Amino acid sequence: GENVEQHPSTLSVQEGDSAVIKCTYSDSASNYFPWYKQELGKRPQLIIDIRSNVGEKKDQRIAVTLNKTAKHFSLHITETQPEDSAVYFCAASGGGGNKLTFGTGTQLKVEL
Amino acid sequence: SAVISQKPSRDICQRGTSLTIQCQVDSQVTMMFWYRQQPGQSLTLIATANQGSEATYESGFVIDKFPISRPNLTFSTLTVSNMSPEDSSIYLCSVGDSYSGANVLTFGAGSRLTVL
């Protein structure tokens, strides 16, 4: 089955700096890669996703890049703000049906 | 996206008892899933809830421990049977977005179970 690795597990940045979270996946048949943000005590919320026919996607301060050859994808957050502080999960699906396999999560802390 | 109501939101349970979690969606959805999130951990898929047939369980999860029902396209239940402290987790219902593709998941608020 699919295996998704995520790094780093924790990330501290100063407000206004950029943050990058990286994930790798194992199943070359995977074709959908979402990112979820989970604030403390809340449900995971989809923030951005990318499909395998696209190399990059942006939504305001958030961008995701995908390298299918290397089987890795990354989340980029620019001009970070305190409200970006949360746990971020990457995920992959498509090779084994519609189910998502999640990475281990990254605790992002944006410091003032 | 679909609106998911999940209950109970939290419960404290005694060892050896069972608890059923309900997931109600405001629209018909093709795909429904149950995830577990242990404290400080990632989300692990328990099973896919199939309408009108037995759920499809992931490795490490069995029907006797986590029986699932899905009588229609808007409702599902997950039972955690014969609970032990190791079952203390958040259990989340999720549904696939039929407009954007079944992969796009929306999550319920979760049910936080504490087993004493």
Side-chain angles (χ1 to χ4, degrees):
Chain A
E2 176 66 276
N3 181 50
V4 179
E5 295 188 356
Q6 183 172 347
H7 300 280
S9 57
T10 61
L11 179 59
S12 274
V13 299
Q14 295 294 314
E15 183 180 9
D17 287 350
S18 295
V20 181
I21 303 170
K22 298 181 179 181
C23 289
T24 60
Y25 61 99
S26 61
D27 189 347
S28 57
S30 289
N31 58 14
Y32 175 66
F33 308 93
W35 287 87
Y36 284 82
K37 175 184 180 182
Q38 188 175 31
E39 297 177 15
L40 188 63
K42 302 286 184 63
R43 75 189 75 191
Q45 299 266 26
L46 178 71
I47 56 171
I48 195 168
D49 57 10
I50 192 168
R51 297 187 187 268
S52 60
N53 58 347
V54 176
E56 182 176 5
K57 184 177 179 180
K58 288 184 180 180
D59 183 3
Q60 299 182 351
R61 296 187 297 108
I62 295 173
V64 57
T65 58
L66 171 65
N67 183 328
K68 283 216 73 180
T69 302
K71 290 191 284 188
H72 66 70
F73 56 112
S74 301
L75 177 71
H76 304 254
I77 305 174
T78 59
E79 301 172 24
T80 53
Q81 302 167 2
E83 51 265 39
D84 294 329
S85 296
V87 178
Y88 291 81
F89 293 100
C90 63
S93 81
N98 293 309
K99 59 185 181 182
L100 282 178
T101 299
F102 283 83
T104 49
T106 296
Q107 174 76 61
L108 174 64
K109 182 177 181 181
V110 180
E111 300 175 332
L112 297 172
Chain B
S1 58
V3 176
I4 303 170
S5 299
Q6 193 174 331
K7 60 181 181 181
S9 59
R10 60 178 62 230
D11 207 338
I12 299 174
C13 309
Q14 296 299 317
R15 182 195 299 258
T17 62
S18 299
L19 183 78
T20 296
I21 302 166
Q22 298 181 5
C23 177
Q24 178 74 55
V25 190
D26 69 341
S27 59
Q28 292 186 342
V29 292
T30 306
M31 309 297 291
M32 292 183 77
F33 305 92
W34 287 97
Y35 281 84
R36 181 175 74 182
Q37 187 174 31
Q38 295 179 303
Q41 301 296 313
S42 185
L43 297 98
T44 301
L45 180 64
I46 297 171
T48 302
N50 302 308
Q51 193 266 330
S53 64
E54 191 172 287
T56 304
Y57 290 85
E58 297 301 305
S59 176
F61 298 96
V62 295
I63 187 171
D64 289 346
K65 177 66 176 178
F66 298 101
I68 289 171
S69 77
R70 189 169 175 200
N72 55 54
L73 293 177
T74 65
F75 185 78
S76 178
T77 67
L78 168 74
T79 299
V80 186
S81 302
N82 187 24
M83 287 185 283
S84 66
E86 293 72 36
D87 294 320
S88 297
S89 283
I90 300 172
Y91 294 85
L92 298 119
C93 169
S94 68
V95 302
D97 188 333
S98 59
Y99 292 100
S100 305
N103 312 82
V104 182
L105 294 189
T106 301
F107 284 88
S111 299
R112 181 184 293 271
L113 301 189
T114 301
V115 184
L116 303 178

